[in-house]
Amino acid sequence: MTTRNPAASVRARLYLASVWLALCAALAHPALAQVPAAALSPVPERLVPSALPEGWHHGAFMEIFVRSWKDSDGDGMGDLRGLTQTLDTLQQLGIRGLWLMPVTRSADGDHGYATTDYRDIEPAYGTLADFDELLRRAHARGIGVIMDYVVNHSADRHSFFVQALRDPKSPFRAWYEWRDAKPEGWDIWGKDPWFTTPAGSYLGTFGADMPDFNLRHAPAVAYHQDSLRFWLNRGLDGFRLDAVPHLIENNARDWNDQPESRRLTAELVRGVHRYPGRYVVCEATAEPRDYAQPQLCGGAFAFGLEKDLAPAARGDVEAIARVAEFYRTAPHTLASFVSNHDQFAGRRLWDQVGGDEGAYRLAAATYLLLPGTPFIYYGEEIGMAGARGLSGDPAIRGPYSWTGEPERAGFSTARPYRALAANQATHHLQAQLRDPASLWHFYKNVLHLRNSRVSIARGSYEWPQAEGQRMAFQRRHGHEHTLVTFNYGREAAPLVLQGVQPGQRLRVLMPAGAVAGNLAVPPATTVITLGTDRALLLPAQSVQVFALEP
């Protein structure tokens, strides 16, 4: 989601001060009178088979903010057609799945989490026909598409909420968390989540403009189930379910990750999984390991790991040890990432490592080669920095740097709606496609390893070890056995490998020192035979990948 920090709390209060008086004042508010009715009809289940190969979701996803990806119509904002036009580049990179931040109709004019219609496309992004064409062309390239779906709340401009605000006797009153008297003693992320209107008080966990649904109310739940089916029936490949630990709040103390929220989440996910080959990943900051279990979401973001990836890449010994241990006990259905669209998850990777490309590559290779399904935040593959002159969430949601053109960066023929990346002049796709030693080619070659070796994509996690600034682990699937080593330090150092034997043959898949250059796969005859000490010299700031041979 979007509003989980003090600055967001301030914005919510400013919103109340500047706008909400008008909304609360009049049942005949002219803007409210013009709110279009959202689709409400039941959607029957049509179990459309998947267009993708089995296990497609074990490949890397790219998280895309459509508004900032590529503008096809010259209005300064990205759109679905712009994304469709660039699918070949994503396929070339080795992406197997796309996570689209909300593309449904919304009231916020930005991030999209304030939904006004769960069954239509945001007009700034295009039409349902554009969405269908994106699916068709992505599937033709072996790329799956999942979309953000916001269960917890709608926009305050959603027609259901507007009717509940206008008329306390409206049937939609029961669809939201309303109270005649404002509850006291609540504090969620440092703010009071209850907002008072002339018609009573309502709960807005993420702000006044995003009122919470009452998800104990069966018709509200059924509406979401129908809306999920609406997209699945069109061939969508799954969902990222937003903020699922917050679906149901019991009281001022018991508001986070309640048993009722887990039961409802599991119910919604079961409905999605009735469709063959679909994938669900949940945003569950509370207990991601629980939500990753098959009886709950089956997939959840690996919150906690992202905090250690950049420090480990910079040589932090304690962070390296935590990274090595993470997947020893964590389920492999977790979805790993190094940054995303929310500031609370960290700045863009470029800014986290202070522009150190060696550390940047190490951080990326670490989570791309570990277990779990990796999610690459758009622009990470070219080293995009935060947007120039901005802070908070807008800083990490800037337009994609397609070219070095200083005013538009190839993103649009018009002035982009938001500031460009601070390093756009030096780190843009056009230049990196030409340079075989670029970050983009680094990502391409790491993803080639992941896509071509089942042991990396979905294998076991064995013999993790961390010694100072060095780390190693093994991945195994059937007869395929892979060893991965890292040296996060600035000097070459040996590592005595665990779980191997003297005389073990290591066929090089990723050459030593590859962090500094291209990751072209070397000839299959490049083989190292371990000595009796089982020690391997790890070059400075290096990642190496080996096939272990009998």
Side-chain angles (χ1 to χ4, degrees), residues 334-346:
L334 284 169
S336 53
F337 63 98
V338 72
S339 65
N340 67 15
H341 64 285
D342 277 327
Q343 182 73 15
F344 76 82

Side-chain angles (χ1 to χ4, degrees), residues 137-450:
R137 295 199 182 188
H139 290 163
R141 291 161 174 79
I143 299 174
V145 180
I146 68 173
M147 62 186 283
D148 238 312
Y149 189 93
V150 186
V151 185
N152 179 73
H153 55 267
S154 74
D156 60 355
R157 293 303 179 94
H158 194 294
S159 62
F160 300 167
F161 184 77
V162 169
Q163 293 181 59
L165 176 66
R166 281 205 193 106
D167 180 7
K169 295 182 180 180
S170 164
F172 289 106
R173 183 78 167 192
W175 284 51
Y176 292 88
E177 289 284 5
W178 282 95
R179 302 291 186 274
D180 292 335
K182 180 179 178 295
E184 300 297 334
W186 285 67
D187 183 324
I188 296 182
W189 304 308
K191 67 180 180 68
D192 186 345
W194 288 93
F195 299 92
T196 301
T197 79
S201 297
Y202 68 90
L203 179 65
T205 299
F206 293 98
D209 54 341
M210 291 181 279
D212 280 33
F213 281 107
N214 172 14
L215 295 172
R216 293 184 177 87
H217 187 55
V221 174
Y223 168 73
H224 282 301
Q225 292 170 322
D226 283 322
S227 298
L228 292 169
R229 285 193 288 269
F230 175 85
W231 297 106
L232 292 168
N233 288 351
R234 302 188 86 89
L236 186 71
D237 302 296
F239 297 94
R240 180 259 192 190
L241 296 181
D242 181 68
V244 291
H246 307 298
L247 301 185
I248 295 176
E249 292 84 8
N250 284 314
N251 53 58
R253 184 189 65 184
D254 303 315
W255 56 266
N256 189 20
D257 194 22
Q258 297 301 290
E260 295 91 338
S261 293
R262 293 189 175 203
R263 286 195 291 270
L264 177 55
T265 299
E267 180 182 347
L268 295 172
V269 171
R270 282 195 298 271
V272 176
H273 283 162
R274 284 182 53 78
Y275 286 72
R278 282 7 184 232
Y279 173 65
V280 175
V281 60
C282 287
E283 183 199 30
T285 55
E287 295 290 345
R289 296 182 186 216
D290 290 351
Y291 279 84
Q293 299 298 329
Q295 65 271 23
L296 226 172
C297 286
F301 288 102
F303 287 105
L305 177 62
E306 85 284 3
K307 303 296 185 186
D308 284 323
L309 291 170
R314 295 196 304 265
D316 184 316
V317 171
E318 293 183 354
I320 293 167
R322 288 191 295 268
V323 169
E325 286 296 307
F326 187 86
Y327 277 106
R328 189 191 291 271
T329 57
H332 292 189
T333 48
L334 284 169
S336 53
F337 63 98
V338 72
S339 65
N340 67 15
H341 64 285
D342 277 327
Q343 182 73 15
F344 76 82
R347 296 178 297 165
R348 281 194 170 272
L349 181 56
W350 181 264
D351 299 311
Q352 290 186 48
V353 299
D356 180 339
E357 286 209 13
Y360 195 107
R361 294 170 191 242
L362 286 168
T366 301
Y367 86 91
L368 292 174
L369 296 171
L370 280 168
T373 296
F375 278 72
I376 299 167
Y377 189 40
Y378 81 98
E380 179 191 316
E381 77 287 0
I382 58 171
M384 266 181 63
R388 186 179 295 111
L390 298 179
S391 60
D393 289 340
I396 55 178
R397 301 176 185 172
Y400 190 81
S401 301
W402 293 93
T403 73
E405 195 278 317
E407 299 298 326
R408 301 176 181 86
F411 167 74
S412 175
T413 56
R415 180 180 178 179
Y417 80 103
R418 178 169 283 162
L420 300 175
N423 64 351
Q424 170 265 336
T426 58
H427 286 70
H428 55 85
L429 180 66
Q430 185 181 65
Q432 295 205 9
L433 289 176
R434 295 194 298 260
D435 179 4
S438 69
L439 283 173
W440 189 90
H441 280 280
F442 179 89
Y443 274 78
K444 176 184 176 182
N445 286 296
V446 175
L447 292 179
H448 170 77
L449 280 176
R450 183 178 183 90

Side-chain angles (χ1 to χ4, degrees), residues 21 229 345 463:
L21 288 176
R229 285 193 288 269
W463 297 102

Side-chain angles (χ1 to χ4, degrees), residues 522-536:
T525 54
T526 304
V527 174
I528 297 172
T529 302
L530 288 179
T532 56
D533 59 358
R534 296 177 290 117
L536 190 65

